Amino acid sequence: MYFAEKGAENTQTCVELALKAAAQRKIAHIVVASGSGDTAKLFKNAQGVRVVCVTNAYGSREPGKARIPAAAREELESAGIRVFAATHVLSGAERGISRKHGGVSPVELMADTLRMFGQGVKVCVEIAVMALDAGLIPYGEEVVAVAGSGRGADTAVLLTPAHANAILDTKINEILCKPRHF
């Protein structure tokens, strides 16, 4: 499905498509990007899948502080959704070095290449690799990844992630939905 525009107005449809695909294909894991926890909360009643919420690293907005509110984290975890905060695998330290010293790293080039399909596709790859590296999803299994181009969700991808140390072995198997104009 192609949404006419990017944005949070696509969130409910994106979540429904992700859940439907997981059920039809018997995919056991969904990874969802959520800074505030709001998008991840839409998966609280998901049946037959394990959900991982990947959120921003501590300090991403304010030094030493979590972006996701403590109450949202508690609500998600009490609903059985694992919440994982970490440095983004497709920016992290490389972005800090590039900002300070100029230039661009191979990882930043990879991120920009994935953005050619839309910000959500880049984030879907990123969060799946991050969840795999954290041991929150199994190696070698297809997962559904859900992300957006800002707030909410407008992109869902079926992919088989590889660990960050072999990221180019990641396979994007199917794009379930994304915005046409981004």
Side-chain angles (χ1 to χ4, degrees):
M1 168 176 275
Y2 292 99
F3 298 117
E5 299 294 332
K6 67 181 180 179
E9 63 272 9
N10 303 310
T11 301
Q12 190 60 46
T13 301
C14 183
V15 169
E16 289 168 6
L17 289 169
L19 290 168
K20 181 179 176 184
Q24 287 177 338
R25 293 170 175 85
K26 298 184 179 18
I27 294 172
H29 295 84
I30 295 176
V31 182
V32 58
S34 191
S36 66
D38 291 344
T39 301
K41 288 176 188 177
L42 298 175
F43 290 91
K44 283 183 4 182
N45 297 319
Q47 300 294 315
V49 293
R50 294 185 55 113
V51 180
V52 174
C53 169
V54 178
T55 191
N56 302 79
Y58 279 68
S60 63
R61 291 277 168 102
E62 184 181 345
K65 304 280 184 179
R67 179 166 177 208
I68 191 168
R73 176 188 280 272
E74 290 170 17
E75 180 181 345
L76 291 168
E77 289 177 344
S78 66
I81 296 174
R82 295 284 305 265
V83 179
F84 176 63
T87 299
H88 292 170
V89 75
L90 294 178
S91 60
E94 287 89 351
R95 185 175 296 159
I97 293 167
S98 294
R99 284 182 180 158
K100 185 164 185 151
H101 297 288
V104 65
S105 73
V107 170
E108 290 172 304
L109 288 174
M110 182 184 313
D112 281 344
T113 301
L114 286 166
R115 279 190 197 96
M116 292 171 69
F117 294 95
Q119 175 69 11
V121 172
K122 188 275 294 186
V123 174
C124 283
V125 170
E126 189 167 46
I127 64 173
V129 170
M130 292 166 66
L132 179 64
D133 276 358
L136 299 173
I137 58 174
Y139 176 76
E141 286 188 24
E142 185 173 54
V143 300
V144 178
V146 177
S149 304
R151 289 200 56 82
D154 57 22
T155 306
V157 176
L158 299 179
L159 68 140
T160 307
H163 290 288
N165 64 5
I167 196 166
L168 294 177
D169 292 334
T170 296
K171 303 299 181 213
I172 298 173
N173 302 322
E174 185 176 342
I175 297 173
L176 298 172
C177 60
K178 67 178 275 313
R180 188 170 188 287
H181 298 285
F182 51 89

